[in-house]
Amino acid sequence: MSDRDLVVLGVGMHPWGKWGRDFTEYGMVAARAALKDAGIEWKDVQYVAGADTIRNGYPGFIAGATFAQKMGWTGARVSSSYAACASGAMSLQTARASILAGFCDVAMVIGADTTPKGFFAPVGGGDRKNDPDWLRFHLLGATNPVYFALFARRRMDLYGATAEDFAQVKVKNSLHGLNNPNARFRKESAIEDVLNSPVVSDPLRLLDICATSDGAAAMIVTSRAFAEKHLGSLKGVPRIKAVSTSTPTYPQTILELPDFATDSSAVVMPPARGFKDSICWDAYEEAGVGPEDLSMAEVYDLSTALELDWYEHLGLCAPGEAEGLLRSGATTIGGRIPVNPSGGLSCFGEAIPAQAIAQVCELVWQLRGQAGDRQIENAKLGITANQGLFGHGSSVIVGI
Amino acid sequence: MSETATSNASQVPAVEGWFTLDQNPHLIGSQCPSCETYVFPPRESACPNPACDSDELKPTPFSRFGTVWSYAENRYAPPLPYRAAEPFEPYALVAVQLEKEGIIVLGQAPKGILATDLKVGMRMQLETDVLYREDDVDYMIYVWAPAVQDEVVGGAK
């Protein structure tokens, strides 16, 4: 075990759904589940790393303090992080830095959200002509699915991907998540179901695109010394081996949410690794592993087609080969490298600050052999990959 | 180019300083006088090149022609602050790669140009179209249309 490994002592979630209740209610359920799973008490937590929700007012902006107060003030240190969809991983990184620096031994990482129905629209009212997120809606009507569709279309026009290929991702993920008690959508999907769902942003249909959900996830991470004292042995206990929260390197030459334009490659050469590749490869390098060492991956399938992009960013296959990898069954549970064994965003929908934490929760359950009928045999090492807007993204590697 | 453009409504850009509204419209970007990199949307300061410490960017006309990097088509009305026409008509969005500037710029396609009319690699040119109308004023936006004009050799490409 590396000196920089962090032990995951406990994980917990509130199931994903759409109820519109106070996000802290969901968070409390996840927090108590994680504490119980870790076998520690709330008063043992020295640091609360909250992932912010920006759609729930001030309590959402100071999530660390909000949950610390809700659980009952204990004097614990807090932090609150916002990194769009990578907020949960950013919180984990904050907790990790505090533990590895020796400032504390036991931290809770927590995120919860309550989301509005329909398309995400810019947060906050009024005309904000200096805010690119406001402007992309106002001037272009460039919703999030528009950007997902741009990536999907490139797969079709460059690699010959088909609507059936995209639908197959949904079919696979819906099977994976069918009996996941935390998943919101637990229903098998057939190719025809996807193809018969209405086109939202061509070429993507309703069932290609992830919904927005309420939900919460929490985990207890500790120093090696604390965990050894608490558990006796660390054999088979999942450990965080890498957390990458890389930003792009100039020039960022792929058009990403919520931008009007890419950077210019006219005078500065693009980096050897593009943004989403670098998110994953920075994690591999930190953990000292490669794609060939993985047992599984939880990736951000904001759309079915984006899951295919992640196969390539993660190095599971070469660019243009993701459809073939999918069709071969390699990414289905039972295959060589199952992707989204939890069912992914396809079965969960997105609860932004909780999602990157939920990805890690799934890896932990898989590594402990507690994933029920979606269990991957002999799971030893897993990776998450996630991307948010404004240059945020994350990748976490967990192993036993 | 749209039916409303021929009415008596006056035309103003929906966003100031991003494009021209003349016969041969083009985007207005920024260029760093020091390292010569390009920026869009335009701004006056802070060169984005991390190796350059220039705090001055100058407006510069962008190429009118480029090629399709990718495209999408909205089948549902986007939420506010987009001012969707009622009834809503599907429209395409196109990301166009400008060779000289080394930049991809996202824009709408003109009304009536849909995903089936587009292909990655297709040649496009900048035009303008009505984004929305309010109090007899047409708020205009740049759009990427399939190229019909030949580029003027030696001109502002």
Side-chain angles (χ1 to χ4, degrees):
Chain A
M1 169 168 184
S2 152
D3 285 345
R4 298 210 303 176
D5 280 5
L6 211 64
V7 178
V8 185
L9 213 52
V11 291
M13 282 165 65
H14 181 290
W16 265 226
K18 199 82 167 179
W19 306 280
R21 296 205 304 271
D22 179 350
F23 75 98
T24 63
E25 285 182 34
Y26 310 136
M28 292 290 287
V29 170
R32 296 210 190 285
L35 287 169
K36 191 176 169 205
D37 189 44
I40 64 167
E41 292 178 39
W42 165 238
K43 64 174 174 49
D44 299 326
V45 174
Q46 301 158 326
Y47 188 95
V48 182
D52 291 351
T53 162
I54 57 169
R55 293 170 201 277
N56 292 279
Y58 210 95
F61 304 153
I62 49 152
T66 296
F67 288 114
Q69 183 179 27
K70 193 105 183 188
M71 295 288 288
W73 293 121
T74 59
R77 307 295 173 94
V78 300
S79 69
S80 303
S81 304
Y82 191 69
C85 304
S87 299
M90 187 78 90
S91 303
L92 170 61
Q93 181 70 315
T94 308
R96 181 178 183 235
S98 201
I99 290 171
L100 294 183
F103 293 128
C104 70
D105 284 302
V106 182
M108 174 184 284
V109 180
I110 181 166
D113 208 4
T114 298
T115 49
K117 280 188 177 159
F119 287 120
F120 275 137
V123 173
D127 285 6
R128 294 198 310 281
K129 297 210 166 178
N130 291 319
D131 172 355
D133 197 44
W134 186 88
L135 282 170
R136 62 145 166 153
F137 280 93
H138 179 62
L139 296 177
L140 302 180
T143 60
N144 293 2
V146 164
Y147 290 86
F148 310 158
L150 294 175
F151 285 100
R153 177 56 69 182
R154 275 187 71 78
R155 294 207 72 84
M156 295 177 114
D157 282 14
L158 296 183
Y159 304 139
T162 63
E164 286 77 8
D165 289 326
F166 300 158
Q168 184 57 42
V169 175
K170 176 73 180 178
V171 171
K172 169 185 76 71
N173 287 345
S174 70
L175 271 174
H176 284 180
L178 198 55
N179 297 309
N180 186 338
N182 290 309
R184 174 178 170 196
F185 304 104
R186 279 177 267 167
K187 184 174 172 281
E188 263 187 74
S189 289
I191 298 270
E192 302 74 50
D193 296 330
V194 184
L195 298 184
N196 290 332
S197 68
V199 175
V200 173
S201 191
D202 182 280
L204 295 175
R205 294 172 162 81
L206 188 64
L207 292 183
D208 284 308
I209 298 169
C210 94
T212 61
S213 291
D214 299 0
M219 56 185 153
I220 304 294
V221 287
T222 76
S223 66
R224 181 180 169 172
F226 179 91
E228 275 171 346
K229 211 167 132 194
H230 182 72
L231 296 172
S233 161
L234 294 185
K235 193 169 182 320
V237 177
R239 284 160 253 158
I240 307 279
K241 298 187 156 300
V243 179
S244 132
T245 53
S246 310
T247 53
T249 297
Y250 188 86
Q252 151 70 311
T253 57
I254 303 294
L255 189 73
E256 295 281 8
L257 253 167
D259 296 332
F260 280 85
T262 61
D263 291 333
S264 166
S265 59
V267 296
V268 183
M269 278 284 287
R273 271 188 194 134
F275 175 40
K276 283 189 268 196
D277 285 1
S278 71
I279 294 170
C280 306
W281 288 87
D282 288 353
Y284 284 139
E285 279 163 23
E286 194 172 287
V289 300
E292 65 283 359
D293 300 314
L294 296 174
S295 319
M296 62 191 153
E298 280 281 310
V299 307
Y300 231 54
D301 56 322
L302 291 164
S303 79
T304 50
L306 282 170
E307 175 169 317
L308 298 172
D309 284 351
W310 281 117
Y311 294 180
E312 297 166 6
H313 298 309
L314 280 167
L316 306 182
C317 64
E321 292 179 0
E323 287 76 13
L325 190 70
L326 172 76
R327 288 186 210 123
S328 78
T331 58
T332 306
I333 293 175
R336 175 169 67 79
I337 171 71
V339 175
N340 283 331
S342 69
L345 298 185
S346 165
C347 293
F348 276 74
E350 189 187 19
I352 297 173
Q355 209 70 44
I357 303 172
Q359 290 184 308
V360 178
C361 291
E362 177 65 13
L363 296 188
V364 168
W365 283 317
Q366 290 285 353
L367 292 168
R368 288 178 180 165
Q370 296 175 333
D373 68 357
R374 62 180 196 284
Q375 182 64 46
I376 295 162
E377 260 182 69
N378 204 24
K380 295 264 188 271
L381 190 76
I383 193 167
T384 72
N386 142 305
Q387 192 211 351
L389 33 67
F390 286 111
H392 288 107
S394 70
S395 180
V396 178
I397 294 179
V398 191
I400 51 173
Chain B
M1 59 176 309
S2 74
E3 54 198 2
T4 47
T6 57
S7 75
N8 292 326
S10 61
Q11 295 185 343
V12 299
V15 60
E16 206 58 54
W18 288 24
F19 58 94
T20 62
L21 264 177
D22 52 8
Q23 279 296 312
N24 296 298
H26 58 81
L27 293 173
I28 303 166
S30 301
Q31 190 173 22
C32 175
S34 176
C35 76
E36 300 189 327
T37 200
Y38 294 94
V39 181
F40 189 84
R43 63 185 197 222
E44 291 175 356
S45 63
C47 175
N49 177 359
C52 176
D53 61 4
S54 171
D55 264 327
E56 186 191 15
L57 295 173
K58 302 221 164 193
T60 189
F62 270 14
S63 311
R64 195 180 171 202
F65 296 87
T67 52
V68 173
W69 180 78
S70 195
Y71 52 98
E73 183 185 307
N74 269 338
R75 296 284 181 89
Y76 289 88
L80 287 170
Y82 189 74
R83 320 225 350 203
E86 287 183 33
F88 175 75
E89 289 288 336
Y91 68 93
L93 290 113
V94 198
V96 172
Q97 194 147 25
L98 303 178
E99 196 181 341
K100 186 184 81 174
E101 293 81 1
I103 276 185
I104 298 165
V105 179
L106 184 63
Q108 291 193 11
K111 292 173 187 69
I113 298 289
L114 295 173
T116 50
D117 305 314
L118 300 165
K119 197 82 193 160
V120 168
M122 213 171 124
R123 194 130 188 90
M124 305 294 279
Q125 71 182 41
L126 198 90
E127 298 285 354
T128 57
D129 201 352
V130 178
L131 182 63
Y132 62 95
R133 174 180 287 190
E134 190 177 73
D135 299 334
D136 235 15
V137 176
D138 282 338
Y139 288 85
M140 306 297 288
I141 189 65
Y142 67 90
V143 290
W144 290 116
V148 289
Q149 296 184 12
D150 287 333
E151 292 177 49
V152 182
V153 176
K157 289 218 287 190

